Amino acid sequence: MKISIRRSRRAAIAVALGSVLALTATACGDDGSGAGGDKGDEGSGKGKIVFWDNNGGVRTDIWKEVIADFQKANPDIKVEYVGIASTEYQSKVDTAIQGGGLPDVGGVGAAMLAGFSAQNALEPLDDRLSKSSLNGKLNEDMVGVLKASGGGDGTLYSIPTSANNGVLYYRTDLFKKAGLDEPTTWDKFYEAADKLTDAKKNEFGYTIRGGAGSIAQALDAMYGQSGITSFWNGDKTTVNDPKNVAALEKYAALYKKVTPAADLNNDFTKMVAQWDSGTIGMLNHNLGSYQDHVKALGVGKFRGIPQPIGASGKRVQVSNPVDGLGVFKSSKNKDAAWKFIEFATSAAENSKFNQNAGQVPSNNDAAKDAWISKAEPTKLAAAALTDGSTTIVQLPYYLPDWNTISKADNEPNFQKVLLGDMSAKDFLDTMADQLNKAQAEWKEQNG
């Protein structure tokens, strides 16, 4: 079932203006589950809470460690873990908002935050944070991103757990054998992709993401090459700027020329597994897959470096969403749900989680731990974001329709571009039209 975020947002606004519950449902028993609009309850701070992991499978093991630590420290609270694949998470939450069955606490990253908050599904967390031991301990930039992504009023609906960044992973052994320079520029990237490809031997220079999650990677490649530094020019998006169109044409032309044909349907798990097990020269992903590469290849056969530098001599990247944890408003045990968030983002647990995930911790004390300097991609990514070499194009996470536009609405069209059944210009014009309409509606609603 496809949920209309625009329709849900108007319903949520009607709730605020008319005190009419437009999205109501009776909570399912006393397990804390409910639907958007259900006000929930603080509860006793004890008993059972349900936690939905928004990256199930990939992060299941580390979350179970954190949960075990939490239950040892809080023996009166039991956490039921539910792992949901990142590609399915938004639709599962949207369905539960409409029909009931929401958890007490769950992953709420910046990319889907506005859509959930517009449906009146999340508990505001500003007051809880101000009274918490976490107050002043969290990275201000990450908190700021989540506040800005919540729909426009600056309310905090999610506590940050980690930040990610785009990384270009490359096989140092294959580059050395081919006599290639490190792919620090887009010209060197394209040169390497071509030179490392021998399809008859099943050797390819690059793996391109054509399945779930493909749009963010395509946008990163586009803006990185075009050098355009803002997502908006006034109230119109720059995604279909002629420079971006040309960049996407060049990038999409890599498919099947220097990439495996299987890339058309690859989400990040398949793409990462393919790179780790094969003879592919380069992979664009983020810090989150670093540990997978270490396990598969060892630290001596690859490096993870910041995205290539464009013709302007500057590095331009699109923003990677900050991940976080939110309390669902329908929870009947908000007190216990908040205790879990506090614990999970404490220095020790936040450090443990992010060392496993290979990401940048949100807790300032955790960010000082020694493992970060030893995880080279994390160290280089952090430096690139602070040394003035990189301009970040901020994606419009504040738009309730952003996650739908950047995923379900356009991923099938991007596959058509890869197959040559749709032009890059038509693809980007279609997306631009959707974005401009969503921006106009957002401005109308938020002044």
Side-chain angles (χ1 to χ4, degrees), residues 203-447:
E203 296 173 353
F204 297 96
Y206 185 58
T207 174
I208 197 168
R209 188 168 178 172
S214 61
I215 303 302
Q217 182 173 306
L219 291 175
D220 215 9
M222 274 169 41
Y223 281 92
Q225 293 174 82
S226 72
I228 295 170
T229 57
S230 176
F231 195 80
W232 300 103
N233 181 8
D235 290 330
K236 302 296 182 183
T237 181
T238 58
V239 294
N240 61 337
D241 183 284
K243 290 182 179 179
N244 275 335
V245 172
L248 185 61
E249 287 173 344
K250 187 173 184 179
Y251 182 72
L254 294 173
Y255 176 63
K256 285 182 72 174
K257 180 183 175 185
V258 299
T259 79
D263 283 359
L264 183 70
N265 296 305
N266 277 358
D267 59 11
F268 84 90
T269 54
K270 293 176 183 175
M271 183 178 67
V272 167
Q274 178 179 261
W275 192 73
D276 286 345
S277 63
T279 54
I280 300 173
M282 295 177 290
L283 161 76
N284 269 120
H285 192 229
N286 54 46
L287 296 169
S289 59
Y290 173 66
Q291 293 297 340
D292 295 315
H293 309 321
V294 171
K295 292 174 186 175
L297 302 170
V299 293
K301 288 188 177 181
F302 80 97
R303 286 192 77 196
I305 61 174
Q307 299 285 44
I309 292 171
S312 67
K314 294 280 287 184
R315 180 183 297 108
V316 178
Q317 292 187 230
V318 300
S319 54
N320 270 258
V322 173
D323 208 2
L325 296 170
V327 176
F328 285 93
K329 187 175 287 188
S330 59
S331 170
K332 297 297 189 291
N333 204 349
K334 294 176 186 176
D335 186 39
W338 174 251
K339 287 178 183 176
F340 177 69
I341 291 178
E342 273 189 308
F343 186 88
T345 49
S346 65
E349 298 299 319
N350 190 239
S351 181
K352 176 190 290 190
F353 177 86
N354 282 288
Q355 183 174 10
N356 180 279
Q359 298 177 169
V360 180
S362 61
N363 188 295
N364 292 326
D365 292 331
K368 299 172 186 174
D369 285 354
W371 66 264
I372 291 180
S373 63
K374 296 176 183 177
E376 186 189 38
T378 305
K379 181 180 179 181
L380 292 176
L385 294 175
T386 57
D387 65 7
S389 67
T390 304
T391 300
I392 299 296
V393 177
Q394 295 294 341
L395 298 179
Y397 301 126
Y398 59 86
L399 294 177
D401 292 335
W402 166 249
N403 222 35
T404 302
I405 291 171
S406 64
K407 292 185 182 293
D409 281 0
N410 284 290
E411 287 175 350
N413 282 345
F414 183 65
Q415 290 181 318
K416 292 180 182 178
V417 175
L418 295 180
L419 291 169
D421 296 334
M422 187 177 196
S423 71
K425 185 177 187 304
D426 286 348
F427 167 73
L428 293 174
D429 283 346
T430 298
M431 185 185 294
D433 184 58
Q434 294 167 337
L435 286 163
N436 291 337
K437 287 178 180 176
Q439 174 76 350
E441 183 180 346
W442 182 83
K443 289 196 74 171
E444 182 182 344
Q445 300 286 359
N446 293 276

Side-chain angles (χ1 to χ4, degrees), residues 5-44:
I5 300 299
R6 290 189 179 97
R7 185 172 67 249
S8 299
R9 181 148 56 94
R10 282 193 288 268
I13 291 168
V15 170
L17 295 177
S19 301
V20 178
L21 290 178
L23 297 170
T24 57
T26 303
C28 304
D30 295 321
D31 62 357
S33 63
D38 187 338
K39 294 181 180 180
D41 195 84
E42 283 299 303
S44 64

